Amino acid sequence: MADLNSLTLAQLRDGFRGGEFSAREIAEGFNAAVAAARALNAYTVETPEDALACAEAADAARQSGALKPLSGIPLGIKDLFATVGVDTTSGSKILGGFKPAYESTVSAKLRDAGAGMLGKLNMDEFAMGSSNETSTYGPVISPWKRSDGGNAALTPGGSSGGSAAAVAAGLAPGVTGTDTGGSIRQPAAFTGITGIKPTYGRCSRWGIVSFASSLDQAGPMARTVRDCAILLEQMSGFDPKDATSLDAPVPAWERGLSSDLKGKRVGIPREYRIDGVPDEINALWDQGIAWLKDAGAEVVEISLPHTKYALPTYYIIAPAEASSNLARYDGVRYGLREVPEGGNLDAMYAATRAAGFGAEVKRRIMIGTYVLSAGFYDAYFTKAQRIRALIKQDFTRAFESCDIILTPTAPSAAFGIGEKMSDPLAMYLNDVFAVPASLAGLPAMSVPGGLDAQGLPLGLHLIGREMDEQGVLNAGLAIEERAGFTARPGKWW
Amino acid sequence: MSVDTATVRHIAKLARIAMSDAEVEALVPELNNILGWVEQLGEADTSGVEPLATVIDQKLRLRDDVIDADPLTGGNVRDKVLLNAPDAQHGFFAVPKVIE
């Protein structure tokens, strides 16, 4: 029998349906891989019994012919999704021991589709970070190593770093991630996997721990474009419990997959040629252009003139919304409580938040509180919202002359743990290509394109029109077929 | 615009985060660095541009005015609501004394 942990989600689904192997065999294989990979620190909680119970239900369903779309498939769930009775901590000490009495809409949909849960995946605290180093559980270690023999521990990216490492290391055939400013796409690029952030509102945010509500969006990460399409179909859909949920039908994205791009125009934004980006990244970008041409697309140069303002805009809007969202962690309703000797209610709030939040979360709450405070609100927050409007307008204009936009995913390959931690600004720059699409709420995806000179994965990034996940997936498929990316990290853990 | 220790202490108070003098001192250059970097937004011409608060082009929906319409978010789930409370007494969230 094939090594089940190395198969794609589609292969597992189809093999299980065809009777090549049982759901129990799939679950046991992944449970064992998860237990054997603790050196990666990808999972914060392991739930092997859950995966097995769902597998048994799937095997029974196969007997009775009542299969669901994800029957037999165990998934890893990012620790940002509320899961009934299973610790949900958002990588933060302040939510230590929090066991929700409810299930997030997205994870509930995946469960209703038959999927089991392998465990909860490590992440940057409250999804604030690009390297997983802000997690209270310590960083996730990428399964990848540089080929220089230096053996440096590398980051899998962030904030969905546990999710990315789990897929790359064969610890789950698919996972959930969330993306506020690139948190699905950058880790996907760093670990040689595929991840898509859909149009804002496609996936319900209900039961997902909030970071920046106008930006947060869930999405799948998996080995292939097809696997992402399969998962996204099950995660998406209108939810009356989320006021920003899109009331729109969910297309059959898997069935709609086609890598024939004839008649499509691919836009290359000239402002994304940024000084200081390594030649390897630009060379891969050029290679991506050639692949899309080969798939039948016409390539056009476009302009997104406000690109340079996207990152600073993001680092006003996201912390502002975060400072407001994270006000709920006050030691009263859930999580940590610290009361100084003889302290009153105010002292309890301040002590609880001081003890419960890590340095990066505090930094962003402070920035957010500052830009929202009296006297600065207009100068910073309203200004940023106006520029956000211009950035969205840039994309609307660009999509008059193209159907899809191709860029690199990140300005470098994975960096070493600790290499950028001392400089918040350098860390923020990691999301320079990912953030504009987030601000505009557009669907965007990272697909592995090749390896750098150190043997580390590099990703290509596709941005589509609002609601055009199919266009993004199809262009991603065209790249995937041509890149023939099969590299895997050598097993050292 | 730049922040000093007094401003950082004031923001920390607004944000309800207790901070030592050393933490405040460390945050001053970090916040200034970030605020200095976002100053570049000043050069973008935004006259006549409406602030964009949400990318979704839809009106906020209202829920049906029905008690307990949703089994999860409706009423009669007191014990579930209190399940994760650090301190719950007599069916309420308990906090340190507020009124002397």
Side-chain angles (χ1 to χ4, degrees):
Chain A
M1 193 171 66
D3 173 14
L4 296 182
N5 297 35
S6 68
L7 298 184
T8 68
L9 193 150
Q11 287 168 334
L12 287 170
R13 177 193 62 184
D14 299 344
F16 160 67
R17 291 183 175 208
E20 288 172 46
F21 37 76
S22 67
R24 194 183 174 88
E25 286 171 301
I26 298 173
E28 281 174 347
F30 282 102
N31 280 343
V34 170
R38 293 191 184 126
L40 300 178
N41 202 22
Y43 282 87
T44 57
V45 178
E46 297 171 15
T47 55
E49 315 80 18
D50 186 296
L52 274 183
C54 291
E56 273 163 20
D59 283 329
R62 185 172 61 178
Q63 294 293 321
S64 65
L67 286 174
K68 296 172 181 173
L70 295 177
S71 285
I73 302 296
L75 300 173
I77 304 294
K78 188 178 180 180
D79 198 29
L80 204 66
F81 294 80
T83 43
V84 171
V86 179
D87 290 46
T88 299
T89 69
S90 206
S92 181
K93 189 178 163 194
I94 209 162
L95 269 172
F98 176 55
K99 288 183 170 52
Y102 56 92
E103 186 85 12
S104 79
T105 298
V106 163
S107 55
K109 278 173 165 288
L110 291 168
R111 290 193 158 281
D112 289 347
M117 179 165 75
L118 291 159
K120 300 300 285 288
L121 293 159
N122 202 354
M123 53 178 284
D124 280 294
E125 185 178 5
F126 286 107
M128 297 177 191
S130 304
S131 66
N132 253 268
E133 289 163 285
T134 70
S135 168
T136 191
Y137 303 104
V140 177
I141 310 298
S142 173
W144 291 86
K145 296 276 190 195
R146 289 183 184 126
S147 57
D148 61 6
N151 215 26
L154 302 178
T155 172
S159 66
S160 310
S163 302
V167 173
L171 315 181
V175 295
T176 61
T178 61
D179 191 312
T180 303
S183 278
I184 285 175
R185 295 161 283 157
Q186 180 253 23
F190 277 11
T191 57
I193 67 163
T194 306
I196 182 167
K197 176 197 88 74
T199 307
Y200 179 82
R202 274 285 194 203
C203 293
S204 167
R205 291 183 300 107
W206 195 83
I208 299 176
V209 178
S210 298
F211 165 12
S213 302
S214 79
L215 296 154
D216 296 346
Q217 192 52 207
M221 302 163 79
R223 286 245 160 83
T224 65
V225 172
R226 176 173 298 274
D227 291 357
C228 282
I230 292 168
L231 287 173
L232 187 60
E233 257 178 73
Q234 301 306 324
M235 292 167 70
S236 300
F238 175 62
D239 180 8
K241 294 202 287 288
D242 172 3
T244 56
S245 176
L246 276 171
D247 195 355
V250 177
W253 286 308
E254 187 192 10
R255 206 170 61 221
L257 284 175
S258 161
S259 57
D260 180 0
L261 303 185
K262 269 197 274 306
K264 297 288 180 196
R265 293 160 303 168
V266 177
I268 307 298
R270 73 170 81 98
E271 291 82 4
Y272 280 51
R273 297 274 181 198
I274 295 169
D275 287 345
V277 171
D279 291 343
E280 286 174 306
I281 302 277
N282 285 317
L284 177 73
W285 194 8
D286 292 336
Q287 178 63 68
I289 294 171
W291 283 330
L292 292 182
K293 275 187 187 163
D294 183 62
E298 179 196 340
V299 172
V300 295
E301 190 186 62
I302 57 164
S303 174
L304 299 167
H306 296 90
T307 297
K308 67 176 281 205
Y309 301 120
L311 265 187
T313 297
Y314 176 83
Y315 278 99
I316 290 174
I317 289 174
E321 294 185 11
S323 72
S324 165
N325 272 328
L326 271 57
R328 73 190 65 177
Y329 303 101
D330 56 6
V332 175
R333 285 156 297 171
Y334 32 63
L336 188 76
R337 166 181 289 193
E338 294 279 334
V339 188
E341 188 66 37
N344 62 8
L345 189 63
D346 267 340
M348 183 192 85
Y349 294 151
T352 297
R353 291 161 64 79
F357 291 136
E360 180 61 23
V361 171
K362 285 181 191 167
R363 190 182 290 134
R364 295 203 198 185
I365 290 175
M366 293 288 285
I367 293 169
T369 305
Y370 181 74
V371 301
L372 290 178
S373 65
F376 300 108
Y377 188 94
D378 277 332
Y380 286 108
F381 188 64
T382 311
K383 179 79 179 179
Q385 285 189 312
R386 289 186 207 278
I387 296 178
R388 186 176 185 183
L390 292 174
I391 289 165
K392 187 170 167 65
Q393 212 174 78
D394 281 356
F395 279 107
T396 305
R397 287 207 184 115
F399 281 121
E400 285 166 12
S401 59
C402 69
D403 302 291
I404 195 98
I405 295 171
L406 176 74
T407 82
T409 307
S412 72
F415 48 89
I417 304 273
E419 275 178 19
K420 297 195 179 189
M421 213 38 195
S422 59
D423 184 354
L425 274 182
M427 190 70 92
Y428 296 173
L429 293 174
N430 238 276
D431 290 323
V432 63
F433 298 124
V435 155
S438 297
L439 288 169
L442 302 173
M445 166 170 229
S446 180
V447 180
L451 299 173
D452 77 351
Q454 292 281 2
L456 297 180
L458 298 173
L460 284 165
H461 183 219
L462 296 150
I463 306 168
R465 282 194 186 93
E466 203 167 281
M467 309 294 278
D468 187 24
E469 284 79 7
Q470 192 74 66
V472 173
L473 290 161
N474 288 353
L477 185 66
I479 288 174
E480 182 177 82
E481 287 174 357
R482 285 159 183 81
F485 186 90
T486 54
R488 293 280 166 80
K491 190 169 183 297
W492 54 263
W493 55 91
Chain B
M1 282 170 269
S2 68
V3 299
D4 53 20
T5 51
T7 317
V8 171
R9 276 201 192 87
H10 177 62
I11 306 167
K13 188 163 180 286
L14 292 177
R16 300 281 190 278
I17 301 176
M19 269 187 203
S20 67
D21 288 348
E23 283 175 291
V24 170
E25 295 286 344
L27 264 173
V28 169
E30 283 180 10
L31 294 189
N32 277 329
N33 212 7
I34 294 164
L35 291 170
W37 173 64
V38 303
E39 289 297 329
Q40 61 176 296
L41 296 184
E43 60 188 61
D45 181 7
T46 52
S47 47
V49 180
E50 280 299 305
L52 182 69
T54 171
V55 292
I56 292 283
D57 188 20
Q58 63 182 14
K59 289 216 161 55
L60 275 182
R61 290 179 299 273
L62 295 176
R63 258 201 313 217
D64 291 340
D65 189 14
V66 178
I67 297 169
D68 301 348
D70 187 290
L72 280 169
T73 56
N76 288 325
V77 288
R78 187 186 75 184
D79 292 347
K80 278 189 172 182
V81 168
L82 293 174
L83 205 59
N84 285 283
D87 188 8
Q89 291 172 20
H90 317 299
F92 295 98
F93 292 109
V95 296
K97 205 161 166 183
V98 186
I99 304 165
E100 291 298 331

